[in-house]
PDB file of all heavy atoms in Angstrom:
ATOM      1  N   THR A  41     119.337  98.551  96.958  1.00  0.00           N
ATOM      2  CA  THR A  41     119.950  97.229  97.030  1.00  0.00           C
ATOM      3  C   THR A  41     119.243  96.321  96.025  1.00  0.00           C
ATOM      4  O   THR A  41     118.039  96.353  95.887  1.00  0.00           O
ATOM      5  CB  THR A  41     119.743  96.611  98.431  1.00  0.00           C
ATOM      6  OG1 THR A  41     119.813  97.663  99.377  1.00  0.00           O
ATOM      7  CG2 THR A  41     120.746  95.557  98.724  1.00  0.00           C
ATOM      8  N   ARG A  53     105.807  87.378 101.702  1.00  0.00           N
ATOM      9  CA  ARG A  53     105.028  86.431 102.509  1.00  0.00           C
ATOM     10  C   ARG A  53     104.829  86.949 103.942  1.00  0.00           C
ATOM     11  O   ARG A  53     103.878  86.561 104.620  1.00  0.00           O
ATOM     12  CB  ARG A  53     105.724  85.066 102.514  1.00  0.00           C
ATOM     13  CG  ARG A  53     104.772  83.964 102.875  1.00  0.00           C
ATOM     14  CD  ARG A  53     105.358  82.585 102.793  1.00  0.00           C
ATOM     15  NE  ARG A  53     105.195  81.960 101.489  1.00  0.00           N
ATOM     16  CZ  ARG A  53     106.201  81.452 100.769  1.00  0.00           C
ATOM     17  NH1 ARG A  53     107.436  81.495 101.229  1.00  0.00           N
ATOM     18  NH2 ARG A  53     105.965  80.893  99.610  1.00  0.00           N
ATOM     19  N   HIS A 124     101.144  99.740 104.191  1.00  0.00           N
ATOM     20  CA  HIS A 124     101.453 100.269 102.860  1.00  0.00           C
ATOM     21  C   HIS A 124     101.159 101.757 102.835  1.00  0.00           C
ATOM     22  O   HIS A 124     100.384 102.268 103.642  1.00  0.00           O
ATOM     23  CB  HIS A 124     100.689  99.517 101.761  1.00  0.00           C
ATOM     24  CG  HIS A 124      99.209  99.582 101.903  1.00  0.00           C
ATOM     25  ND1 HIS A 124      98.468  98.571 102.443  1.00  0.00           N
ATOM     26  CD2 HIS A 124      98.341 100.568 101.604  1.00  0.00           C
ATOM     27  CE1 HIS A 124      97.198  98.918 102.463  1.00  0.00           C
ATOM     28  NE2 HIS A 124      97.096 100.132 101.964  1.00  0.00           N
ATOM     29  N   GLU A 127      99.749 105.060  98.126  1.00  0.00           N
ATOM     30  CA  GLU A 127      98.718 104.562  97.203  1.00  0.00           C
ATOM     31  C   GLU A 127      97.861 105.709  96.656  1.00  0.00           C
ATOM     32  O   GLU A 127      97.225 105.570  95.619  1.00  0.00           O
ATOM     33  CB  GLU A 127      97.834 103.513  97.893  1.00  0.00           C
ATOM     34  CG  GLU A 127      96.842 104.022  98.919  1.00  0.00           C
ATOM     35  CD  GLU A 127      97.487 104.638 100.148  1.00  0.00           C
ATOM     36  OE1 GLU A 127      98.608 104.231 100.495  1.00  0.00           O
ATOM     37  OE2 GLU A 127      96.865 105.543 100.736  1.00  0.00           O
ATOM     38  N   MET A 128      97.856 106.869  97.345  1.00  0.00           N
ATOM     39  CA  MET A 128      96.940 107.942  96.934  1.00  0.00           C
ATOM     40  C   MET A 128      97.319 108.513  95.559  1.00  0.00           C
ATOM     41  O   MET A 128      96.480 108.611  94.665  1.00  0.00           O
ATOM     42  CB  MET A 128      96.895 109.039  98.009  1.00  0.00           C
ATOM     43  CG  MET A 128      96.162 108.571  99.261  1.00  0.00           C
ATOM     44  SD  MET A 128      96.259 109.704 100.655  1.00  0.00           S
ATOM     45  CE  MET A 128      95.522 111.182  99.993  1.00  0.00           C
ATOM     46  N   PRO A 135      99.818 115.025  92.976  1.00  0.00           N
ATOM     47  CA  PRO A 135     101.111 114.983  93.675  1.00  0.00           C
ATOM     48  C   PRO A 135     100.990 114.351  95.062  1.00  0.00           C
ATOM     49  O   PRO A 135      99.897 114.275  95.613  1.00  0.00           O
ATOM     50  CB  PRO A 135     101.504 116.461  93.789  1.00  0.00           C
ATOM     51  CG  PRO A 135     100.689 117.163  92.770  1.00  0.00           C
ATOM     52  CD  PRO A 135      99.422 116.386  92.606  1.00  0.00           C
ATOM     53  N   SER A 175      89.676 104.402 103.817  1.00  0.00           N
ATOM     54  CA  SER A 175      88.537 104.689 104.673  1.00  0.00           C
ATOM     55  C   SER A 175      89.006 104.925 106.119  1.00  0.00           C
ATOM     56  O   SER A 175      88.577 105.873 106.781  1.00  0.00           O
ATOM     57  CB  SER A 175      87.572 103.518 104.557  1.00  0.00           C
ATOM     58  OG  SER A 175      86.730 103.470 105.638  1.00  0.00           O
ATOM     59  N   PHE A 190      87.521 121.429 118.130  1.00  0.00           N
ATOM     60  CA  PHE A 190      86.665 121.496 119.319  1.00  0.00           C
ATOM     61  C   PHE A 190      87.375 121.244 120.642  1.00  0.00           C
ATOM     62  O   PHE A 190      86.783 121.426 121.687  1.00  0.00           O
ATOM     63  CB  PHE A 190      85.514 120.479 119.194  1.00  0.00           C
ATOM     64  CG  PHE A 190      84.657 120.671 117.984  1.00  0.00           C
ATOM     65  CD1 PHE A 190      84.246 119.588 117.215  1.00  0.00           C
ATOM     66  CD2 PHE A 190      84.243 121.945 117.603  1.00  0.00           C
ATOM     67  CE1 PHE A 190      83.449 119.765 116.092  1.00  0.00           C
ATOM     68  CE2 PHE A 190      83.446 122.122 116.485  1.00  0.00           C
ATOM     69  CZ  PHE A 190      83.045 121.039 115.723  1.00  0.00           C
ATOM     70  N   ASP A 192      90.966 121.123 123.396  1.00  0.00           N
ATOM     71  CA  ASP A 192      92.237 121.759 123.744  1.00  0.00           C
ATOM     72  C   ASP A 192      93.384 120.736 123.708  1.00  0.00           C
ATOM     73  O   ASP A 192      93.176 119.543 123.447  1.00  0.00           O
ATOM     74  CB  ASP A 192      92.142 122.438 125.120  1.00  0.00           C
ATOM     75  CG  ASP A 192      91.865 121.437 126.231  1.00  0.00           C
ATOM     76  OD1 ASP A 192      91.936 120.207 125.978  1.00  0.00           O
ATOM     77  OD2 ASP A 192      91.582 121.869 127.357  1.00  0.00           O
ATOM     78  N   ILE A 197      96.249 115.444 123.449  1.00  0.00           N
ATOM     79  CA  ILE A 197      97.329 114.556 123.905  1.00  0.00           C
ATOM     80  C   ILE A 197      96.739 113.249 124.438  1.00  0.00           C
ATOM     81  O   ILE A 197      97.218 112.153 124.116  1.00  0.00           O
ATOM     82  CB  ILE A 197      98.180 115.237 125.015  1.00  0.00           C
ATOM     83  CG1 ILE A 197      99.006 116.383 124.437  1.00  0.00           C
ATOM     84  CG2 ILE A 197      99.065 114.235 125.745  1.00  0.00           C
ATOM     85  CD1 ILE A 197     100.216 115.966 123.629  1.00  0.00           C
ATOM     86  N   ARG A 212      99.574  93.626 120.487  1.00  0.00           N
ATOM     87  CA  ARG A 212     100.492  92.857 121.325  1.00  0.00           C
ATOM     88  C   ARG A 212      99.953  92.495 122.704  1.00  0.00           C
ATOM     89  O   ARG A 212     100.658  91.886 123.497  1.00  0.00           O
ATOM     90  CB  ARG A 212     101.805  93.650 121.485  1.00  0.00           C
ATOM     91  CG  ARG A 212     102.620  93.726 120.191  1.00  0.00           C
ATOM     92  CD  ARG A 212     103.872  94.560 120.373  1.00  0.00           C
ATOM     93  NE  ARG A 212     103.574  95.981 120.348  1.00  0.00           N
ATOM     94  CZ  ARG A 212     103.462  96.713 119.230  1.00  0.00           C
ATOM     95  NH1 ARG A 212     103.646  96.138 118.080  1.00  0.00           N
ATOM     96  NH2 ARG A 212     103.177  97.991 119.276  1.00  0.00           N
ATOM     97  N   ILE A 217     103.100 102.486 125.182  1.00  0.00           N
ATOM     98  CA  ILE A 217     103.609 103.342 124.115  1.00  0.00           C
ATOM     99  C   ILE A 217     105.130 103.286 124.200  1.00  0.00           C
ATOM    100  O   ILE A 217     105.718 103.713 125.195  1.00  0.00           O
ATOM    101  CB  ILE A 217     103.109 104.790 124.292  1.00  0.00           C
ATOM    102  CG1 ILE A 217     101.580 104.801 124.223  1.00  0.00           C
ATOM    103  CG2 ILE A 217     103.712 105.709 123.233  1.00  0.00           C
ATOM    104  CD1 ILE A 217     100.945 106.096 124.653  1.00  0.00           C
ATOM    105  N   GLY A 247      97.974 108.949 138.083  1.00  0.00           N
ATOM    106  CA  GLY A 247      97.897 107.491 137.970  1.00  0.00           C
ATOM    107  C   GLY A 247      97.173 106.993 136.726  1.00  0.00           C
ATOM    108  O   GLY A 247      96.842 105.810 136.625  1.00  0.00           O
ATOM    109  N   ALA A 250     101.641 105.382 133.524  1.00  0.00           N
ATOM    110  CA  ALA A 250     102.879 105.221 134.308  1.00  0.00           C
ATOM    111  C   ALA A 250     104.039 105.303 133.326  1.00  0.00           C
ATOM    112  O   ALA A 250     103.995 104.648 132.272  1.00  0.00           O
ATOM    113  CB  ALA A 250     102.870 103.876 135.019  1.00  0.00           C
TER     114      ALA A 250
END
Side-chain angles (χ1 to χ4, degrees):
T41 324
R53 201 175 270 126
H124 60 260
E127 73 295 331
M128 289 172 60
S175 159
F190 302 137
D192 62 10
I197 290 285
R212 290 178 282 276
I217 299 168

